[in-house]
Amino acid sequence: MSASAIHIVSPAQFDLGTAQTSGSERRAAIAPELDIESAIWGGLFEVEPGARTGIHHHGEQQTIAYVLSGVCEIRWGARGEFVARATPGDFIHVPAFLPHMEINPSKLEPFRWVVVRSTATPIVVNLPDDTWP
């Protein structure tokens, strides 16, 4: 397929071979691994009911997410001192190098986001669990 072609990527084609953080699952939809040349990365992010991700950041990447379903609490900061809640229809911006974690407060449903990253390959830097008190 030509680099200037439009690509349609169905869920069955999403790639689980992308960088992961404990407690969550990232699925690449727009990525070099799927033979799509792009300056940005796109995919889905999901956290199961009652789960939380490990503390991590995305290096030099900025991240934009759109909440498809579920409720998410996001904790961030040098000591994890800030918390916000995102619900379906919300957009989220995560600045580069910002340590954060996502928490699913629901015991019944996962939360799902559409995610776009500012580089073609996602950067995930998983931090030690004791990074925050």
Side-chain angles (χ1 to χ4, degrees):
M1 203 177 282
S2 163
S4 61
I6 290 177
H7 294 82
I8 306 296
V9 183
S10 300
Q13 298 170 288
F14 294 174
D15 181 16
L16 285 167
T18 189
Q20 301 290 340
T21 298
S22 64
S24 64
E25 182 177 274
R26 293 182 182 94
R27 294 178 218 130
I30 306 300
E33 296 79 17
L34 296 166
D35 294 325
I36 299 173
E37 292 185 32
S38 175
I40 57 177
W41 181 93
L44 291 179
F45 177 69
E46 182 173 312
V47 174
E48 291 299 318
R52 63 176 54 207
T53 68
I55 304 164
H56 62 284
H57 67 76
H58 300 288
E60 66 194 34
Q61 285 182 321
Q62 293 193 44
T63 301
I64 294 173
Y66 177 78
V67 181
L68 287 174
S69 63
V71 174
C72 175
E73 291 179 359
I74 306 164
R75 186 174 169 196
W76 76 92
R79 300 179 53 77
E81 63 271 31
F82 303 104
V83 178
R85 183 172 278 221
T87 60
D90 289 343
F91 274 91
I92 302 162
H93 174 256
V94 181
F97 296 102
L98 181 69
H100 62 284
M101 76 165 25
E102 294 87 5
I103 302 161
N104 187 343
S106 172
K107 301 296 182 210
L108 302 175
E109 70 174 307
F111 72 74
R112 292 183 181 96
W113 298 354
V114 172
V115 177
V116 177
R117 299 265 174 80
S118 63
T119 65
T121 303
I123 299 168
V124 177
V125 179
N126 293 309
L127 302 172
D129 290 339
D130 64 357
T131 299
W132 294 337

